[in-house]
Amino acid sequence: MCAHIVLAEDDEKQAELVRRYLERERHSVVVVPDGRAALDEVRRALPDLLVLDVMLPKVDGLDVCRILRAESDVPVLMLTARSTEDDLLLGLDLGADDYMTKPFSPRELMARVRTLLRRTSPSAPQPGASARVGTLTVDPVRHVVTNNGHPVECTPGEFRLLEVMASQPERVFTRAQLLEHLHGFDRYITHRAIDVHVLNLRKKIEAQPRKPVLLVTVYGVGYKLTAGAAGAS
């Protein structure tokens, strides 16, 4: 899979290393040195993926992600020297689709890039039928979610979570199961990442996010997608 990738990294040596690895896999790569340039390039080129360092001059990576999520669904893979769980979850909460902490293996980064591109590519094989659960419809072919007929803007990670759960309505998925569908076995991503995705989705699909009836919690187990039965929580 050959993709157009924007790499936002102000460390020249790090940028050159990552660029070489990406180009070995036949991706076209544009390197930008700051957050403002990253915003301009993504808006101009509409890339398949943004590899985004958090610590950037002019506009930091977190703000870049926040701004882009208001106007674009470009997949974002964040790179950062910040290694605390709260930093990771903040990145996911802002709409990043994956997150790697420095130092990292370039080969592991390439594996994560391949996985993310497979999951978000319009040409990737998809199930043929839409799934409808109550008022919610998930169309994996067109990569569209609607609720009561109204479009729901989802990040690729949020879409994948809905797609998995809509394929088996009323099934209770543990956080570990959902985590494997979204990120694979990743030592950096914890079960709290699923909670962040769920909270963000509830803001988008629930009439009362604090009293969810579609994406509900099964306490002590995990989450399930329901047709909206009264009394769910």
Side-chain angles (χ1 to χ4, degrees):
M1 181 186 302
C2 299
H4 179 53
I5 297 174
V6 173
L7 169 60
E9 171 63 75
D10 63 325
D11 183 315
E12 293 184 4
K13 291 183 179 179
Q14 184 80 53
E16 179 62 16
L17 176 64
V18 175
R19 182 191 64 77
R20 288 204 309 267
Y21 271 85
L22 289 169
E23 290 183 345
R24 284 179 191 173
E25 303 215 352
R26 300 186 177 182
H27 301 306
S28 64
V29 183
V30 173
V31 179
V32 294
D34 60 69
R36 188 172 301 159
L39 289 169
D40 290 343
E41 183 62 22
V42 169
R43 289 163 174 162
R44 184 194 68 79
L46 302 177
D48 299 298
L49 175 66
L50 171 62
V51 180
L52 177 66
D53 185 42
V54 170
M55 301 297 290
L56 289 174
K58 297 187 179 178
V59 182
D60 73 27
L62 294 175
D63 283 334
V64 169
C65 190
R66 182 186 296 110
I67 292 166
L68 285 178
R69 275 296 166 257
E71 59 189 58
S72 169
D73 61 356
V74 60
V76 176
L77 194 165
M78 280 190 153
L79 307 177
T80 182
R82 300 173 179 174
S83 59
T84 70
E85 186 179 46
D86 286 343
D87 288 325
L88 182 155
L89 294 172
L90 177 57
L92 295 177
D93 188 43
L94 292 174
D97 300 286
D98 206 348
Y99 197 107
M100 290 193 71
T101 59
K102 298 178 180 181
F104 53 80
S105 159
R107 293 174 64 184
E108 181 183 358
L109 175 61
M110 294 308 104
R112 303 275 280 275
V113 167
R114 287 192 295 270
T115 298
L116 191 51
L117 288 172
R118 279 198 302 269
R119 290 173 178 168
T120 59
S121 170
S123 60
Q126 299 283 359
S130 298
R132 184 176 179 86
V133 184
T135 60
L136 200 68
T137 300
V138 181
D139 185 337
V141 175
R142 296 186 299 138
H143 210 271
V144 169
V145 176
T146 59
N147 192 19
N148 281 316
H150 301 291
V152 178
E153 296 295 329
C154 294
T155 69
E158 292 166 357
F159 182 89
R160 180 62 178 153
L161 188 147
L162 284 179
E163 181 185 16
V164 168
M165 298 185 78
S167 69
Q168 299 184 65
E170 303 295 338
R171 172 184 166 178
V172 181
F173 289 87
T174 67
R175 290 172 175 82
Q177 289 168 335
L178 292 172
L179 196 62
E180 169 60 12
H181 281 292
L182 265 66
H183 297 286
F185 291 107
D186 184 338
R187 65 181 178 272
Y188 299 121
I189 308 292
T190 70
H191 289 186
R192 285 183 60 199
I194 297 300
D195 298 334
V196 171
H197 284 309
V198 167
L199 289 174
N200 288 338
L201 279 169
R202 283 173 172 168
K203 294 173 185 176
K204 298 177 179 182
I205 67 174
E206 300 283 2
Q208 299 183 68
R210 294 186 178 183
K211 297 180 179 180
V213 297
L214 295 171
L215 181 47
V216 303
T217 302
V218 178
Y219 291 101
V221 185
Y223 298 104
K224 67 177 180 179
L225 203 60
T226 79
S233 62

